[in-house]
Each structure stands twice: as C-alpha cells, then as structure tokens.
Amino acid sequence: AYITETNYRQEYKTNPNLITPVLNIDTINFHKKLNKNPIVIYPDIINKKKFGENTFFRYLLNYPGLLGEPIDFNNKDEIAFVYSKKIAEKLDIANHVLFIPMIDTNIFYPNPNILRDKKLSYFYASKYKNYHRENTFEITNNSIEITRFQKDSPTPHQIADYFRKANFFASYEDTALITEAIFCRCPVMLIKNQYFNGIPLAIEELGLF
C-alpha cells in the first residue's frame, strides 16, 4: 500500500511506524512494466480518477457535498465505503460501513494527578473559519484556539497536555479532537451551527461517554 498526494512536497512527513511509503513516479513506472493494475482509494472530495486505474473505490469520511460539490456516490460503477453509520444514512450503502478508530491511546489518556485549570479552555474551528468563512461565537472569546497546518500548530502530545489541564474543549465542527479530548477526560462542548448539528459522525460506533 502507498500514500499518494498530487502536490506532495518533501517537507511533508509520514509516520515511520506505517508500512505505507509515499508513491513516486519510479514506482508507478515499475508497476506499469509489470502490468500491475492498482486499486486506488479516493476521498469524498475527489470527483474524478487521476491515475488511469481500472479498479477504485471511495472512502467517505464526511457527509456528501459538505466540503465541495456533491458527487453521486450511488453510481453503480463505483464502490463506496463510509466511515460511520451516520454517513451511511445519507446514502444507499448501509452495508459498506468501514469504521477505523484513529485515536492513539498512548498519547490521549487521562491523568488524575493533574488538576484542571478552571480559567483554561480551548476551541477548534478550522473548517468553520477557514473554509466556510464564519465567525466564532462569544462563548469561546476567552478560549485558546487549536489550529492545524500552521507553523505554530501544536503536536498531538501538546494537544493531549492541553486536554488534561483544560476546564473544557469546544468544537464548531466534527473532528477527532472531540474523541481525543474525551479520552483525556476533558469536558467537551459541541457548538451547533449551520454546518454542524452537534452530533458526532461516529456516535453510533463510539456511543456517548
């Protein structure tokens, strides 16, 4: 198995514990010489094949059309899997749920010896602010924002430390941070808005804590 990114840059890093090297042109050409036909797994936001393959399927990690133009995932020529039952409810593929927990419990765990700071809280609104261009609510004005893909964005270990110390964590969207915070026994506030109904995607699989 390989990881591929059409705009892959050398500064990108992959987890050395995974057996999924980054696909490069040399490997592609080698496979072509051997007449190997790859199986390509596309996310929900890609609406066309990019590698000329014959076998492919989609893995939907969010509701169809939420982050771009809607795609006909019920196309008989495609095989679609979904991350959770809540996503499957939007499609006619209820038997194709492939739920893979993504929480590293070696990082996200509770520590009863750490006292929570009642004045300390964090919030997350990455897509809500940067994709949907919406403003956050007053309730998180005094909270510290957790960001992604920025030079000063925290590492998973730093985020876990935040969650073990914070009074609460607020989220404007569905994110793995919600479950990670719960694993650290940090109270979570789900902020409903026009893009998030306050129900986590994996509520059927993970249940209520």
Side-chain angles (χ1 to χ4, degrees), residues 7-185:
N7 296 316
Y8 182 79
R9 299 196 298 268
Q10 291 299 320
E11 62 266 28
Y12 288 178
K13 297 183 182 299
T14 57
N15 191 324
N17 295 320
L18 300 178
I19 52 174
T20 48
V22 177
L23 185 66
N24 57 44
I25 191 62
D26 293 333
T27 302
I28 293 175
N29 290 334
F30 178 70
H31 288 166
K32 286 183 177 179
K33 288 182 179 180
L34 297 178
N35 292 319
K36 289 183 177 292
N37 177 41
I39 298 173
V40 183
I41 305 170
Y42 286 99
D44 48 317
I45 58 175
I46 302 297
N47 60 10
K48 62 180 179 179
K49 295 192 293 183
K50 291 181 174 292
F51 297 94
E53 71 285 351
N54 296 321
T55 307
F56 69 99
F57 65 83
R58 298 188 187 279
Y59 188 27
L60 282 69
L61 299 175
N62 215 324
Y63 294 114
L66 183 66
L67 300 177
E69 293 297 324
I71 301 173
D72 182 12
F73 296 107
N74 291 314
N75 189 330
K76 294 182 179 180
D77 295 331
E78 297 186 7
I79 301 174
F81 289 80
V82 296
Y83 173 68
S84 70
K85 292 181 179 179
K86 295 299 293 183
I87 302 176
E89 291 174 358
K90 303 293 183 179
L91 304 166
D92 189 24
I93 51 175
N95 293 324
H96 288 165
V97 175
L98 179 59
F99 176 71
I100 303 176
M102 298 178 289
I103 308 302
D104 188 344
T105 54
N106 292 316
I107 299 176
F108 297 95
Y109 56 85
N111 187 339
N113 296 321
I114 298 178
L115 297 178
R116 296 197 175 276
D117 186 342
K118 294 184 178 180
K119 297 182 179 180
L120 180 64
S121 61
Y122 295 87
F123 78 93
Y124 183 75
S126 179
K127 297 183 182 68
Y128 184 75
K129 288 177 56 180
N130 301 322
Y131 184 83
H132 298 298
R133 303 295 180 183
E134 297 288 350
N135 296 319
T136 55
F137 301 157
E138 184 179 355
I139 194 170
T140 56
N141 282 355
N142 296 322
S143 300
I144 301 172
E145 182 177 5
I146 296 177
T147 62
R148 295 178 63 195
F149 306 131
Q150 297 181 20
K151 291 183 178 180
D152 59 348
S153 294
T155 65
H157 287 88
Q158 290 174 321
I159 293 174
D161 287 338
Y162 296 164
F163 289 157
R164 282 188 280 268
K165 298 174 183 177
N167 189 41
F168 69 85
F169 165 67
S171 183
Y172 287 78
E173 59 198 66
D174 207 334
T175 168
L177 291 171
I178 295 172
T179 308
E180 290 169 350
I182 293 174
F183 270 54
C184 295
R185 298 296 185 267

